[in-house]
Amino acid sequence: MSTRPAVRRLGRISEISQVAAKHGFGYFFDTHGPGALRSRRQHEIAPESDAGSNRGQRLRQMLDELGPTFVKFGQLLSTRPDVVPPDIVFELKALQDDVTPFSFEEAELVIRQELGLTVEQLFLEFDETPIAAASIGQVHRAVLPNGRRVAVKVQRPEAPRQIEADLELMYQVARLVRERVKALEFIDPVALVDEFARTIRQELDYRMEARNAEQFHRNFVGHPHVRVPRVFWSYSRTRVLTLELLEGVHLRDLDLSTYTIDERRRLSYLIAEAWMQMIFRHGFFHADPHPSNIMVLEQSEHIGLIDFGMVGKLTDEDMSKLTGLFIDAVSERIEALPRRLAALGVRYPKDKEEEFVIELRDVYYRYYGASLSEIDPIQLIREAFALIYRMHLQLPTRFVLLDRAIATLGSVGMELYPDFNVFDVAKPYARELMIERFTPQRVVRRTAEEASNLGRMLKELPYQVHDTMEQVRDGQIEVGFRHEGLDDLFQHMDRLANRLVIAIVAGTGVIGSALIGIFADSGPHVLGLHVFSIVGFSVSTLLGLWLAWGVIRSGRL
């Protein structure tokens, strides 16, 4: 059996430990990892001095240097404010897929393996130089035989193998952290790596991104200002994705000096309104509204959306529960908010519910009475993230993505237009949603749904009772009883029983001694009394005096 994979794995661990030491995290490998892999000199390497650096910056730099898989992992951590401190979340958001492209020959080989034909047979034109390169793939311009200009996304040839190898190392590190780092007991690092593994493996299948793109295209077809590229399924497979090419400039490359303040304002609100439609009307939203994923098309009042690997979904029930949460917040029913959040799937320690209410009330009254234009949405969301982390709340992924999308929208909008406020855009959509939830048609439909659910429950009730009784009969159900505060009662009952027994013994002793004294003619007598009668009276008297003393001492006559 070859030892080469094991040697490569050790080499990669050594590389990770050296990079960690370089950025000031070497203490972890000294105490938990294979310390023999690093020399004394490497141990003494200090983190790069930077007056503005902090732990978030150093972690971001370390992940960036470790390569594409770790960059992706950092991007995932930036979406988990419930398990990662806010300062680190803020820094990790700066991680971008900006990697060296692979050769055209490798891209051509992947296309031929996936589509079964050569590049010359598939396209009239194919630009050998990619227009963008990321951790998993890169994008080339091309022209289809019918003249349509397209963007062809090609996966890196070694991406699956490299990702699986790095995932294995991540699992090893996560297990070490879970077992040995007590300061992070409230985090399940293995679960985080599980979530990351599931996400990145999905991204390896471009067909899932194609389905997301097609759904967005259907939702925005005919929209006057938003364009989503078409998917060309005949030219798309697991490792190749072909989309309509959008001509324009990425928002990150936009020269704002060429735009007037009014144009910048219209553009910022146009982008925000597109996402509000996704969230409030479609329930299916692009979860990464980063400037790299938004394009300003040739007409300045038209935007295009790209990169559909990360999406969020909200069901109709989610929207109803969010509406209830919003109504309670507006009505100042702060005590009801934890229950509303629990209904949405937010998990928090029950013993901290009172503390949670106090924290929520503090945040609420800090902004109570302020108009939307006076509230900094980025600061508010940061405070919310800080509360989430401080209380160790566990958020459902869909709401984490929603929070992240709104926060990113706020940042993007303020970069375009300093007075931008994402809440101003969201308010009419939220009001419309609330009104819609209470229209007669909606109430009738929800009543019919609830009646149907109750009818189904009543129909199943006899069968459930029958099953339960059978389980009781077969001994499959055990009832456990746990009492609290009954120990004192049991002690009182014990004392009462003891006293009752003593009283009975004393009483029967007196009666028995009297009977012996009356009817016993033979046997030893003293002063005319039978000896057994004298002994019985004495013992009974002592027991009676002992019982009387115990009652008097207890203070309960």
Side-chain angles (χ1 to χ4, degrees), residues 176-308:
L176 283 172
V177 170
R178 185 172 63 182
E179 293 170 3
R180 305 187 185 185
V181 183
K182 299 300 182 184
L184 298 177
E185 283 182 338
F186 62 91
I187 297 175
D188 187 349
V190 175
L192 275 178
V193 176
D194 279 336
E195 181 181 347
F196 171 65
R198 185 168 54 253
T199 300
I200 199 167
R201 283 168 180 154
Q202 288 176 352
E203 289 191 34
L204 288 172
D205 188 352
Y206 284 169
R207 292 172 299 181
M208 296 192 66
E209 183 176 347
R211 287 192 287 271
N212 293 337
E214 190 170 56
Q215 180 66 49
F216 283 118
H217 181 79
R218 285 197 299 266
N219 290 344
F220 282 99
V221 65
H223 193 284
H225 301 291
V226 180
R227 285 188 59 190
V228 177
R230 283 183 54 201
V231 178
F232 293 92
W233 285 101
S234 300
Y235 294 83
S236 299
R237 295 291 187 275
T238 302
R239 296 191 295 162
V240 177
L241 174 61
T242 303
L243 299 170
E244 176 186 3
L245 180 66
L246 299 182
E247 300 287 355
V249 180
H250 289 276
L251 196 61
R252 69 165 187 258
D253 300 325
L254 203 63
D255 184 3
L256 295 180
S257 63
T258 62
Y259 287 77
T260 66
I261 193 67
D262 286 338
E263 289 174 332
R264 290 163 59 178
R265 180 186 182 281
R266 284 197 299 270
L267 183 58
S268 64
Y269 278 87
L270 172 59
I271 294 170
E273 285 176 358
W275 258 264
M276 293 305 111
Q277 287 192 37
M278 296 182 205
I279 294 168
F280 289 99
R281 293 181 182 170
H282 305 154
F284 185 77
F285 60 93
H286 193 304
D288 191 15
H290 195 273
S292 299
N293 296 332
I294 303 172
M295 299 185 68
V296 179
L297 306 184
E298 293 175 348
Q299 305 92 336
S300 61
E301 294 191 0
H302 289 72
I303 63 170
L305 310 181
I306 59 174
D307 194 352
F308 308 98

Side-chain angles (χ1 to χ4, degrees), residues 486-496:
L486 296 180
D487 291 339
D488 292 340
L489 176 61
F490 288 149
Q491 290 177 2
H492 287 307
M493 292 179 66
D494 286 340
R495 285 195 293 269
L496 177 62

Side-chain angles (χ1 to χ4, degrees), residues 154-173:
V154 185
Q155 192 174 107
R156 291 179 177 273
E158 297 298 317
R161 184 195 61 78
Q162 181 62 51
I163 286 172
E164 290 298 331
D166 283 340
L167 284 176
E168 185 178 349
L169 291 176
M170 286 182 177
Y171 275 114
Q172 291 180 4
V173 174

Side-chain angles (χ1 to χ4, degrees), residues 50 61 111 250 264 311 332 400 429 464 475 501 523 549:
D50 184 353
Q61 292 164 359
I111 292 172
H250 289 276
R264 290 163 59 178
V311 299
E332 299 184 50
V400 174
Y429 287 93
Q464 293 174 347
V501 169
W549 172 250

Side-chain angles (χ1 to χ4, degrees), residues 334 358-371 374-376 379-384 386-387 390:
I334 309 300
I358 293 172
E359 294 279 1
L360 285 172
R361 186 180 288 111
D362 180 59
V363 173
Y364 181 86
Y365 286 113
R366 200 176 307 153
Y367 294 96
Y368 180 73
S371 65
E374 296 173 334
I375 298 175
D376 180 357
Q379 179 61 29
L380 176 58
I381 291 172
R382 284 178 185 169
E383 288 186 20
L387 173 60
R390 193 164 59 251

Side-chain angles (χ1 to χ4, degrees), residues 330-344:
V330 171
S331 304
E332 299 184 50
R333 293 195 289 266
I334 309 300
E335 290 75 11
L337 295 185
R339 292 191 295 275
R340 290 288 189 183
L341 291 170
L344 286 166

